[in-house]
Amino acid sequence: KGKIADLVIEGEQIELDKTVLEDVAGPLLHLLRNSVDHGIEPTELRRALGKPERGAIRLRAYHEATQIVIEVGDDGAGLSAQAIRTAAIAGGHSTAEAAGEMSEQDLHALIFEPGFSTATEISEVSGRGVGMDVVRVAVHRMKGTIAINSRPGVGTTITIRLPMTLAIVRVLLVRASGETFAV
């Protein structure tokens, strides 16, 4: 589709349990595909907008308090409120009146509805009606949360937060006074 993007990975030292890694791999792949297909603009358009010809997609993992945070972000077009409204009405997810009154946060929540898609054509990457709902279900199954932050013309970041108990943490076990402590 005339798109060029670089993938930047940060936090590759973060370790997850093997089963968690297997469960999160599919959702992460879907998010990365969405970044390319829906987020990054074609090279010509990026050039016209004054952006670098090469889009940037970032996969970042880090610890925050008692959670593992995984972010997938791009420097693309951001989410189009109008495209989401149009798809919501066409797909029967909302009435025209209700869609017109929805806040940005409510519109973003629609993306997680089963069968929801803003793709105008079916491709190997998107438009199949299987998507963000599957990502949300997988994240919730791991007792995590998922959030969207998007700015038109600037990009979109999807943030997944998983409990630290799903991570592999290196500790030293110490036994004192009949109790075991992990340091």
Side-chain angles (χ1 to χ4, degrees), residues 134-152:
V134 174
V135 173
R136 180 188 63 191
V137 167
V139 170
H140 286 180
R141 189 173 43 245
M142 293 181 278
K143 306 277 191 269
T145 62
I146 187 166
I148 299 174
N149 181 8
S150 183
R151 292 180 39 211

Side-chain angles (χ1 to χ4, degrees), residues 29 46 67 91 137-138 162:
L29 179 59
R46 288 183 66 83
Q67 298 178 323
V137 167
L162 300 172

Side-chain angles (χ1 to χ4, degrees), residues 12-43:
E12 53 273 339
Q13 75 281 0
I14 299 296
E15 295 179 333
L16 294 172
D17 182 84
K18 181 183 179 213
T19 57
V20 173
L21 187 58
E22 290 170 355
D23 287 346
V24 81
L28 288 178
L29 179 59
H30 185 80
L31 294 176
L32 291 168
R33 286 177 161 202
N34 274 358
S35 289
V36 172
D37 200 44
H38 294 292
I40 302 297
E41 308 93 338
T43 304

Side-chain angles (χ1 to χ4, degrees), residues 80-91 94-104 107 110 116 118:
S80 165
Q82 189 54 49
I84 295 171
R85 280 188 180 93
T86 301
I89 295 163
S94 178
T95 64
E97 184 178 332
E101 296 174 4
M102 284 185 180
S103 68
E104 185 175 286
L107 286 171
L110 283 175
F116 188 89
T118 58

Side-chain angles (χ1 to χ4, degrees), residues 67-123:
Q67 298 178 323
I68 296 291
V69 181
I70 303 170
E71 297 176 343
V72 177
D74 63 64
D75 69 344
L79 298 177
S80 165
Q82 189 54 49
I84 295 171
R85 280 188 180 93
T86 301
I89 295 163
H93 299 280
S94 178
T95 64
E97 184 178 332
E101 296 174 4
M102 284 185 180
S103 68
E104 185 175 286
Q105 188 175 6
D106 291 337
L107 286 171
H108 291 176
L110 283 175
I111 292 170
F112 295 109
E113 290 295 314
F116 188 89
S117 179
T118 58
T120 55
E121 59 186 48
I122 296 173
S123 71

